[in-house]
Amino acid sequence: MKILLTILVAALGIGAGQHSVECMDSQMFMPDGQIAPVQMNQGWISTQAKQRAAELVSQMTLEEKCTLIHGVRITGGEEYEDGFHIQPIPRLGIPAIRMADGPQGVRNKTRSTYYPCGLSLAASWNRDVASKVGEGIGLDARARGVAIMLCPGVNIYRTALCGRNFEYYGEDPYLASETALHYIKGIQSKGVMATVKHFALNNQEYDRHCISSNADERTINEIYFPAFRKAVEEGNVACVMTSYNPVNGTHASENSWLIKDNLRAWGFEGIVMSDWTSSYSAVGCFGSGLDIEMPRGHVMIYEHAQELLENGVIQESWIDEKCQHILQTAIAYGFLDKPVKDESIPEDCDKSRANALAAALEGPVLLKNSGALPLKASKKTIIVLGPNADIVPYGGGSGAMDPIEGRNITLYAGLSKLGKGYKVELMDWQAPDYEKIRKAGAIVVAAGFNYDTEGEGFDRPYAFSQEQNDLICAVADANPNTVAVIYSGGEVDINPWIGKVNALVMAWYAGQEGGTALASILSGKVSPSGRLPFTFWGSLEANPAYPHYLISKPYGERKTKIDFQYPFIEYGEGIFLGYRGMKHFNVTPMFPLGYGLTYTDFSYSNLSVKNIPEGVEVSFTVSNNGKMEAAEVAQVYISALDAKIAMPDMELKGFEKVSITPKQSKEVTLLLPASAFSHYDATSHNWVSDTGTYRICVGASALDIKLSEVIEVKGFTSPCGNRIF
Ligand code: BGC
């Protein structure tokens, strides 16, 4: 079967179907080094919506305008005064507009379907999984009258320590962009706005209000911007949330380089909101291009506007522009004309639950299996124990969820429902019975973090508590059929016990259906199909970003330059983040990006690579040589062999997940567009195409290349510029 990816269509910015993109020249040839034309108009908000918004703005008093540009500030017990609403102006027919977190379901004053975390979606390497979760969240939002979902979070994974890695999509900008794009489209397809956050460089939680993330322009554009840019240019995302941290010395909500020179220059016409209490000065926020201060007005308020206008520091047209953005986006979504709440959708929706299960089946990554998996049904008992055995763990903070009562399936509950000859017993992990453990058929130890040890507002330790490590070691010493199931938002220190356990599954935070999904995977009903969305280095220090991660230095040492107002961290690893740094820094990780085992055996053959006018077409065959149906994640990396500038040894530019029945093969065809062969040039502040010699590599991980071919890339017809995603 031939699978033709629509990468090219997406790269041309016409994937969403409802907006027209103004192309400068539909048959433009891009020779090496030529600067790409900038796409200036996102264009999905109609002229009528813009005109209607402008008319409303012209009727508003300054005071009314100032109430619109911050979350509800009034006191007096109004229902919507909860820090999650845009203020209504009844006189003009502008309703209160409700927001909710994200990203694992609809939060804030409601219980809702709890989906797998962002890292799990990225680990699925499946665009449909991201779409399904987005659609489910869109339905859940409509069922509750939520107009704006505060998700997805797309900040890049730099080290294991960032407390919010679990919400995000891993270390690779292409994987993160594709996951975000489909998640956003899913949400917005239900008439609910998505908010891509946190713009930008919010890659650690430690001291997040103060520490400036400092990186060079090329690094920002090649690693940290792509997921935001794709969300804007191809996802038509309605809202963008700024981050808490300063970027190169200026807080994100006040950073006009971020908001005007970049975000708006990509054609973004929607709403830019601050993160909650991340607005630090009135002048900064009025002038930066920020549209709404959340959750309430602290600095962008009427009193400050009056004073700054009187003194000529700001102009009223700046405030008009903010109102225009808010209203034109709300009008485009119909929020001024019809209720958001759709009474026909139940709050506990079957479709949402099914989508949560479908996603949970594809996220877990099998990192080791010496034969304990799949678990066999036998007369012998399978013992389940550990701190996460009979709870549904989750990452803490604004990404935490209140699941619908009775819907959470724990790992123990999932395994107990296997039936068919499986005998499953839950054991108190703080008082293990080693006699029973020795006699058991297999042991499943569910360890890891939870909301109080991994979450927003703090960075987490690399290692588990001594108690958890001791438990895993003791259990594995007692029974050779020990399977570790680890809940975490990224890499953890597995060195104390990886040599002892028989198998290791990374479960991330799998949502309400996680227990059912993991039971299916552990028992072999479904072959594991998740793959690592980040490089698993094996130690904190092996990660080249570690010396440049702030928490690794004592606070006093961080203020090493006097020309920055804030303590800062220099992103010293630059573009060589994660697997991109393996060769550059000469480090081999324990498990590379894209790694994950299955219960079958795949082989690759018939690579064909050819120049076509739109880019490079890559096709190959994947065969399932094993005995069960399983999915393989075929990954395409490129290496520039004669680059004139510093380039990573290899970069992910395409992937496809293919499900194949035993003894069958599938042909995969991918199109690498012109944008795949370009880099960001900080001198011209634009992307430039790089023709030349490339090795096109097809493999099962960044360190398991199965097929490769060298090709001379000559230049392409590139209708809308050569953005790199
Ligand atoms: C988080 C955002 C979240 C907001 C509202 C902030 O603390 O950083 O991601 O959307 O709170 O809960």
Side-chain angles (χ1 to χ4, degrees):
M1 182 187 155
K2 188 161 180 157
I3 298 160
L4 183 59
L5 278 192
T6 49
I7 290 179
L8 178 72
V9 172
L12 302 184
I14 53 176
Q18 78 249 55
H19 71 292
S20 62
V21 177
E22 283 171 21
C23 299
M24 292 190 66
D25 180 345
S26 64
Q27 286 302 302
M28 185 170 296
F29 176 72
M30 300 295 298
D32 193 17
Q34 184 169 323
I35 296 168
V38 180
Q39 181 193 345
M40 289 306 295
N41 193 353
Q42 191 189 359
W44 61 270
I45 299 178
S46 69
T47 310
Q48 292 90 314
K50 288 179 186 171
Q51 278 166 358
R52 187 169 156 200
E55 274 156 32
L56 281 171
V57 176
S58 71
Q59 293 169 46
M60 290 163 78
T61 64
L62 178 64
E63 191 164 6
E64 283 171 334
K65 290 180 208 168
C66 289
T67 62
L68 192 68
I69 62 172
H70 56 67
V72 171
R73 187 170 174 246
I74 55 164
T75 51
E78 290 287 349
E79 189 218 315
Y80 42 77
E81 193 212 336
D82 59 358
F84 284 88
H85 279 86
I86 296 179
Q87 179 126 338
I89 306 181
R91 180 180 84 82
L92 297 170
I94 301 171
I97 296 177
R98 181 174 167 194
M99 310 176 176
D101 284 309
Q104 294 164 116
V106 181
R107 201 175 75 97
N108 306 109
K109 294 201 296 193
T110 183
R111 291 180 168 275
S112 190
T113 309
Y114 167 29
Y115 300 86
C117 68
L119 199 70
S120 177
L121 304 189
S124 78
W125 292 67
N126 187 343
R127 298 168 180 90
D128 290 342
V129 157
S131 296
K132 279 196 174 127
V133 168
E135 282 167 24
I137 289 176
L139 288 174
D140 299 339
R142 290 296 302 273
R144 291 162 176 77
V146 172
I148 303 180
M149 283 303 302
L150 304 172
C151 51
V154 301
N155 297 99
I156 292 288
Y157 179 118
R158 283 184 73 220
T159 86
L161 302 179
C162 172
R164 295 185 84 171
N165 277 339
F166 74 93
E167 293 185 55
Y168 306 149
Y169 298 141
E171 77 183 20
D172 182 76
Y174 179 72
L175 176 62
S177 303
E178 286 294 295
T179 312
L181 174 66
H182 289 82
Y183 179 97
I184 288 166
K185 282 187 174 179
I187 292 182
Q188 297 196 159
S189 70
K190 302 298 171 199
V192 174
M193 294 183 190
T195 306
V196 67
K197 67 187 186 184
H198 309 86
F199 191 60
L201 284 84
N202 186 178
N203 309 101
Q204 67 179 44
E205 286 299 288
Y206 178 75
D207 207 2
R208 62 183 175 169
H209 286 265
C210 290
I211 291 168
S212 177
S213 299
N214 291 357
D216 63 84
E217 199 179 324
R218 178 173 178 205
T219 299
I220 293 177
N221 276 277
E222 292 193 12
I223 307 290
Y224 299 97
F225 274 172
F228 291 100
R229 194 160 174 181
K230 192 168 230 169
V232 169
E233 293 185 336
E234 296 173 28
N236 290 340
V237 73
C239 307
V240 176
M241 186 191 295
T242 57
S243 56
Y244 281 114
N245 52 288
V247 173
N248 286 334
T250 305
H251 271 109
S253 58
E254 304 175 20
N255 196 320
S256 58
W257 179 79
L258 281 179
I259 300 173
K260 289 183 179 166
D261 299 353
N262 286 283
L263 183 62
R264 293 290 181 202
W266 304 335
F268 183 66
E269 298 180 320
I271 302 168
V272 184
M273 72 178 82
S274 73
D275 199 345
W276 271 226
T277 67
S278 74
S279 40
Y280 306 86
S281 82
V283 177
C285 290
F286 275 117
S288 65
L290 182 76
D291 297 321
I292 306 187
E293 178 188 17
M294 292 301 293
R296 297 184 180 80
H298 293 290
V299 298
M300 280 211 313
I301 54 175
Y302 178 52
E303 296 77 2
H304 293 165
Q306 273 181 314
E307 192 182 325
L308 292 170
L309 284 166
E310 268 164 33
N311 294 330
V313 180
I314 64 169
Q315 294 165 27
E316 192 161 346
S317 61
W318 300 358
I319 300 174
D320 290 352
E321 194 174 58
K322 297 174 197 299
C323 295
Q324 174 75 30
H325 289 144
I326 297 165
L327 291 174
Q328 70 188 23
T329 315
I331 290 167
Y333 269 77
F335 295 162
L336 267 57
D337 304 311
K338 54 181 194 296
V340 177
K341 187 167 177 157
D342 183 337
E343 304 284 353
S344 71
I345 306 170
E347 290 202 0
D348 186 7
C349 180
D350 289 347
K351 181 109 197 294
S352 299
R353 289 204 307 279
N355 288 0
L357 176 59
L361 283 166
E362 299 209 28
V365 178
L366 179 61
L367 287 184
K368 176 178 179 182
N369 187 13
S370 301
L373 293 178
L375 296 171
K376 288 143 204 88
S378 88
K379 288 200 183 92
K380 286 190 173 181
T381 309
I382 295 169
I383 292 175
V384 192
L385 81 172
N388 292 340
D390 201 25
I391 59 167
V392 169
Y394 56 94
S398 61
M401 284 287 305
D402 287 320
I404 293 167
E405 257 166 72
R407 288 292 175 211
N408 257 354
I409 314 286
T410 69
L411 179 57
Y412 167 62
L415 287 167
S416 310
K417 283 194 204 133
L418 282 175
K420 291 189 189 151
Y422 284 95
K423 267 176 66 187
V424 181
E425 182 185 320
L426 180 68
M427 184 178 275
D428 178 356
W429 69 282
Q430 284 169 315
D433 178 341
Y434 284 102
E435 211 27 58
K436 272 190 164 179
I437 288 176
R438 259 175 229 112
K439 289 189 193 141
I443 314 293
V444 177
V445 195
F449 297 106
N450 200 348
Y451 64 92
D452 50 352
T453 44
E454 178 163 42
E456 177 181 344
F458 57 97
D459 280 350
R460 68 149 163 91
Y462 180 53
F464 289 151
S465 63
Q466 193 64 43
E467 200 184 13
Q468 291 205 41
N469 280 339
D470 289 349
L471 174 77
I472 303 172
C473 289
V475 167
D477 283 343
N479 191 317
N481 265 350
T482 293
V483 178
V485 177
I486 300 302
Y487 295 80
S488 77
E491 175 174 348
V492 294
D493 186 3
I494 61 175
N495 292 295
W497 42 260
I498 187 64
K500 294 174 186 269
V501 296
N502 186 298
L504 166 60
V505 177
M506 299 302 290
W508 321 122
Y509 297 109
Q512 66 179 44
E513 308 295 334
T516 307
L518 282 159
S520 296
I521 292 168
L522 295 181
S523 65
K525 218 163 114 188
V526 172
S527 176
S529 69
R531 303 289 188 269
L532 285 176
F534 57 85
T535 308
F536 201 113
W537 292 100
S539 81
L540 261 189
E541 297 74 17
N543 178 351
Y546 181 68
H548 310 291
Y549 192 81
L550 200 55
I551 205 164
S552 60
K553 293 189 183 133
Y555 199 83
E557 282 177 27
R558 293 174 204 142
K559 284 185 168 180
T560 49
K561 274 191 194 164
I562 49 163
D563 52 343
F564 277 98
Q565 193 186 347
Y566 296 101
F568 66 93
I569 183 65
E570 205 78 58
Y571 282 35
E573 72 285 1
I575 57 168
F576 299 102
L577 181 72
Y579 72 99
R580 286 172 157 78
M582 289 188 305
K583 191 145 182 200
H584 187 81
F585 295 109
N586 197 18
V587 208
T588 305
M590 192 181 255
F591 304 107
L593 180 93
Y595 182 85
L597 302 170
T598 70
Y599 296 149
T600 187
D601 166 41
F602 292 105
S603 61
Y604 289 66
S605 56
N606 298 334
L607 176 63
S608 148
V609 174
K610 59 174 188 258
N611 274 296
I612 60 170
E614 300 84 5
V616 171
E617 192 183 84
V618 183
S619 57
F620 51 91
T621 306
V622 184
S623 307
N624 180 350
N625 309 314
K627 294 199 176 88
M628 73 178 287
E629 177 167 4
E632 172 68 325
V633 177
Q635 301 154 43
V636 179
Y637 297 87
I638 66 167
S639 296
L641 300 181
D642 55 0
K644 297 171 201 87
I645 45 141
M647 291 293 282
D649 178 50
M650 60 197 300
E651 294 186 286
L652 181 78
K653 295 295 174 183
F655 65 85
E656 185 62 42
K657 192 171 201 175
V658 278
S659 192
I660 313 178
T661 49
K663 312 291 174 214
Q664 297 301 309
S665 299
K666 277 189 181 171
E667 192 189 337
V668 178
T669 300
L670 299 155
L671 187 54
L672 303 179
S675 58
F677 305 93
S678 63
H679 76 276
Y680 185 85
D681 174 44
T683 311
S684 60
H685 309 291
N686 215 330
W687 290 92
V688 293
S689 60
D690 295 317
T691 55
T693 315
Y694 284 83
R695 186 184 304 280
I696 310 290
C697 305
V698 176
S701 83
L703 280 180
D704 186 11
I705 299 307
K706 310 278 191 190
L707 309 166
S708 75
E709 197 173 310
V710 173
I711 184 170
E712 197 65 32
V713 172
K714 300 206 176 81
F716 317 98
T717 54
S718 178
C720 278
N722 55 350
R723 291 162 286 129
I724 188 163
F725 298 128

